[in-house]
Amino acid sequence: MGNNFYWRNKVAVVTGASVGIGASTAVELANAGMVVVGLARRPELIEALRDRVTGEGKILARQCDLNDEEQLTSAFAWIREKFQAIHVLVCNAGILKANFLSESPTKDIKELFDTNVVATASCLREALKHMAAVKVRGHIVVMNSVLGHRIPEVPVPLFSVYPATKHAITALCQTVRQEIHFLKLNIKLTSICPGMVDTDFLSVYSQAVAELPKLQAEDVAKAVLYALNTPDGVQVEDIILQQMRKVN
């Protein structure tokens, strides 16, 4: 990424940065020259990502369980104190529990909504308050899913409430964009909606999806960079990306 990249030397916060899409995004942004603060329950995995940084940026790790309100607010307060500004937020943290709804314990249902929706909304709140206070040009990226737009017919529908959490994220992104516009903030918000991605996230489905085409985590990370690299005044609201089937 050349020196004309607007976000070079600016601060990005990536949640769920220890593995998968979050880890690839943290590395991609650092290699583009950003200072990346990764939040996750296992900060040692984020620290290990530094070996993959070949650009001018850097990655810092902060331990944070986003389902713990005190840890979440404390992490954002620490970032504001250390860097004075949060320029980019990537809300990536999420969980998936494959099951039939008829067999899903209430505990699992609540955990899906708490992590995928409530924690995301809380991160959005903290970042928006800070960006508004310091009047920075900001960009928020929310890692959604194609399941936040449509639910495919599959042989074994073990979706439970996961698509419902992603539909909630789709609605949340739309309402937050309206709020940003109403408050006259210079902040873009992009919802990125990948199809199936080849990460440990899919391990709950085992062999059921083994033969289906899958994106790589790096593909999604590059979509984040694409959205960030749009000209000032151009907002990419939604990116839906799928892996194509190979044609022999």
Side-chain angles (χ1 to χ4, degrees):
M1 188 65 60
N3 291 342
N4 60 344
F5 182 55
Y6 174 80
W7 305 103
R8 186 169 170 267
N9 297 324
K10 292 181 171 58
V11 177
V13 178
V14 181
T15 69
S18 57
V19 294
I21 293 171
S24 291
T25 299
V27 171
E28 192 78 28
L29 297 182
N31 282 334
M34 297 194 73
V35 177
V36 179
V37 181
L39 304 182
R41 288 176 293 182
R42 296 176 292 174
E44 68 278 5
L45 296 182
I46 301 174
E47 290 168 358
L49 297 175
R50 293 170 184 163
D51 294 337
R52 294 167 53 188
V53 177
T54 58
E56 297 179 8
K58 59 183 178 179
I59 295 176
L60 293 83
R62 172 81 180 191
Q63 195 279 334
C64 182
D65 180 351
L66 296 178
N67 286 326
D68 184 316
E69 177 77 3
E70 185 176 346
Q71 286 190 37
L72 187 152
T73 55
S74 175
F76 276 88
W78 176 81
I79 295 166
R80 291 194 298 269
E81 181 178 345
K82 185 174 181 64
F83 298 104
Q84 285 74 58
I86 297 171
H87 301 95
V88 171
L89 170 68
V90 180
C91 290
N92 167 75
I95 60 171
L96 171 65
K97 293 178 180 288
N99 206 349
F100 296 114
L101 178 62
S102 56
E103 297 177 4
S104 296
T106 300
K107 175 180 176 294
D108 286 357
I109 294 171
K110 286 183 176 179
E111 188 177 358
L112 279 158
F113 274 96
D114 283 346
T115 303
N116 295 357
V117 183
V118 178
T120 297
S122 297
C123 289
L124 287 170
R125 178 195 65 214
E126 294 302 307
L128 282 170
K129 285 194 301 185
H130 174 68
M131 290 176 178
V134 298
K135 296 180 171 59
V136 298
R137 171 182 166 186
H139 199 136
I140 295 171
V141 176
V142 179
M143 204 56 64
N144 198 338
S145 167
V146 69
L147 295 176
H149 294 270
R150 57 180 180 269
I151 303 170
E153 293 282 347
V154 294
V156 185
L158 297 172
F159 291 131
S160 186
V161 297
Y162 179 76
T165 68
K166 292 303 182 178
H167 271 68
I169 289 298
T170 298
L172 181 63
C173 288
Q174 294 172 4
T175 55
V176 171
R177 279 194 206 97
Q178 291 184 13
E179 183 174 330
I180 289 169
H181 178 72
F182 179 81
L183 296 174
K184 297 180 172 60
L185 304 177
N186 188 17
I187 302 170
K188 300 179 186 180
L189 193 156
T190 301
S191 170
I192 296 188
C193 307
M196 206 170 299
V197 184
D198 191 11
T199 67
D200 291 342
F201 203 63
L202 285 182
S203 61
V204 293
Y205 284 113
S206 186
Q207 296 302 311
V209 298
E211 301 304 317
L212 296 177
K214 304 176 190 66
L215 295 161
Q216 299 301 308
E218 292 77 9
D219 299 325
V220 185
K222 289 184 186 303
V224 174
L225 200 60
Y226 165 78
L228 289 177
N229 208 29
T230 50
D232 189 20
V234 176
Q235 176 172 241
V236 178
E237 295 189 351
D238 292 277
I239 298 176
I240 298 177
L241 60 161
Q242 296 265 29
Q243 178 64 39
M244 296 176 64
R245 291 185 180 273
K246 291 183 179 179
V247 179
N248 296 327

